[in-house]
Amino acid sequence: MRYDAAPLQGITNYVYRGVHRRLFGGADRYFTPFYSPTKEHLFTPREYRELCPEHNEGVPVVPQILVRNPADFLWAARALRELGYAEINLNLGCPAGTVTAKGKGSGFLAHPQELDAFFDTVYAAMPDLNLSVKTRLGLHQEEEFPTLLEIYNRYPITELIIHPRLQQDFYKGTVRLEAFAQALKGCRMPVCYNGDLVTVDDCDAFCEKFPQIQALMIGRGLIADPALMRKLRGGKGATVEELRTLTQTLYATYCRDFDSRGNAAQRMKETWFYLIHLFENGEQYAKKMRRCASPPEYERLEAEIYRDLTLRSEACGPF
Ligand SMILES: Cc1cc2nc3c(=O)[nH]c(=O)nc-3n(C[C@H](O)[C@H](O)[C@H](O)COP(=O)(O)O)c2cc1C
């Protein structure tokens, strides 16, 4: 079984990927949060910092692109290849209104003909493209998927990562496993499943139900329990020392990269939003963390969490 780390904008950046791999053995592949190329065909310094080889050394990284325009995609795919990336991923899942309004992410699923033309253009220009696609089932109805799959099946997409929700579901409610089972029957390419896997038991139960699936992608569950993949491979759970090293390394590096303790503390709150679920009685600290407004307050709260709370054996979802 392969275990991949899902992209989470604002959380699974290069700092997180590097320290996670070093401390917890890591994922088989880490997908970057989406990178959205613009018409200028340039990396901004912030984008380059995220994708440059120096910051991703020794980490199996798959850069993800969020795009609608084939010319912008091709520029980015070539630029990423020059940076040394063998595989890239296309985001057809992002449900955010600001993204879908531009017909990107899951918004692209509303335009099947254009999507077909997009693949036609990019594979004609780069026949040896190693491209995986991360998709939802559709925007408003599960019945949209067969049309989309017919398109995906027409191209040499190396893997289809399916998050079985609709755009309108955002991340709410339960995943649509029956629709996923239906979808799976028609897929000609290898499929990776993504969605709502939080514990070892969740993964075991999923694999029992879908023994043909060879790859799982885990997002929020891995932030909540950074040792989840190690445990799935038979290893031990996270220790307080490991978690302290993780959060303190992240915070110190964010302070340096953002040149602002305030921004660094805000960013840390996003990781803690999930990580607090690994602590017994973490709920009241989750509330305090959401409210905390200054770096000293953040630093004090983090110290209190490690001092006062014990670890659960599994993270407690849903989030
Ligand atoms: C805060 C946040 C940021 C996300 N950013 C991205 C992203 O940049 N690219 C992407 O494909 N999916 C993104 N996702 C979706 C996740 O990759 C994943 O598909 C989703 O969380 C479901 O998987 P999970 O239940 O294992 O978390 C994001 C989700 C969240 C909650």
Side-chain angles (χ1 to χ4, degrees):
M1 179 63 72
R2 210 185 60 221
Y3 301 113
D4 293 334
L8 297 174
Q9 194 70 242
I11 302 177
T12 62
N13 48 50
Y14 83 92
V15 190
Y16 192 94
R17 299 191 298 266
V19 67
H20 181 265
R21 181 166 171 84
R22 180 163 62 76
L23 289 171
F24 298 100
D28 289 300
R29 298 184 303 177
Y30 291 84
F31 287 68
T32 70
F34 66 73
Y35 157 61
S36 193
T38 54
K39 304 233 165 304
E40 289 71 40
H41 295 181
L42 284 170
F43 291 121
T44 63
R46 202 166 63 94
E47 288 162 354
Y48 189 74
R49 184 175 72 198
E50 177 61 24
L51 294 163
C52 69
E54 305 85 278
H55 285 165
N56 292 283
E57 226 173 273
V59 183
V61 172
V62 180
Q64 184 187 67
I65 305 181
L66 178 87
V67 77
R68 180 174 181 176
N69 178 308
D72 297 341
F73 173 91
L74 284 168
W75 174 80
R78 290 182 178 123
L80 291 166
R81 185 179 276 183
E82 268 176 40
L83 289 179
Y85 293 104
E87 175 188 346
I88 50 179
N89 178 261
L90 178 66
N91 180 325
L92 294 180
C94 182
T98 46
V99 166
T100 56
K102 295 180 197 143
K104 296 182 191 176
S106 61
F108 211 161
L109 306 179
H111 310 281
Q113 279 183 354
E114 187 184 333
L115 190 60
D116 194 4
F118 173 91
F119 285 124
D120 201 49
T121 305
V122 302
Y123 279 110
M126 288 181 80
D128 57 348
L129 184 64
N130 180 350
L131 179 69
S132 57
V133 170
K134 185 163 179 278
T135 187
R136 290 189 178 229
L137 296 174
L139 284 116
H140 304 299
Q141 299 180 49
E142 294 169 0
E143 290 70 27
E144 293 166 37
F145 195 70
T147 304
L148 298 167
L149 185 57
E150 210 176 287
I151 296 167
Y152 297 149
N153 275 338
R154 229 176 279 148
Y155 297 94
I157 291 167
T158 49
E159 184 172 63
L160 194 62
I161 303 161
I162 302 180
H163 177 58
R165 282 191 168 97
L166 300 168
Q167 181 274 335
Q168 68 181 31
D169 298 333
F170 288 86
Y171 297 104
K172 291 191 292 274
T174 49
V175 277
R176 298 169 179 266
L177 279 190
E178 289 316 312
F180 174 74
Q182 276 306 111
L184 196 54
K185 286 185 197 154
C187 293
R188 298 219 180 110
M189 68 294 277
V191 171
C192 172
Y193 171 82
N194 165 242
D196 294 16
L197 301 174
V198 177
T199 65
V200 171
D201 282 353
D202 290 345
C203 296
D204 287 348
F206 178 86
C207 293
E208 207 164 294
K209 194 163 177 178
F210 295 100
Q212 66 274 50
I213 293 289
Q214 296 299 308
L216 300 179
M217 173 182 269
I218 306 177
R220 295 165 296 176
L222 186 63
I223 308 305
D225 181 358
L228 178 59
M229 289 174 181
R230 188 168 73 191
K231 291 195 288 189
L232 285 165
R233 297 191 186 100
K236 64 182 173 76
T239 64
V240 170
E241 267 326 298
E242 286 173 328
L243 295 176
R244 202 197 309 271
T245 307
L246 172 72
T247 56
Q248 293 189 348
T249 308
L250 291 175
Y251 186 51
T253 317
Y254 293 160
C255 285
R256 187 201 66 201
D257 277 3
F258 304 153
D259 202 15
S260 152
R261 277 165 78 215
N263 290 350
Q266 282 304 320
R267 188 55 72 85
M268 288 308 299
K269 286 165 67 170
E270 295 176 40
T271 296
W272 275 108
F273 181 81
Y274 299 105
L275 186 56
I276 198 68
H277 293 80
L278 193 59
F279 291 82
E280 292 288 358
N281 304 317
E283 300 74 17
Q284 67 193 87
Y285 285 81
K287 210 178 272 175
K288 284 189 200 171
M289 188 61 89
R290 275 200 300 277
R291 288 188 188 140
C292 108
S294 72
E297 214 182 320
Y298 167 74
E299 290 161 26
R300 205 166 42 244
L301 194 54
E302 183 184 294
E304 278 178 29
I305 290 171
Y306 288 127
R307 189 193 64 205
D308 298 344
L309 302 185
T310 54
L311 290 179
R312 294 186 161 121
S313 59
E314 301 282 359
C316 174
F319 307 115

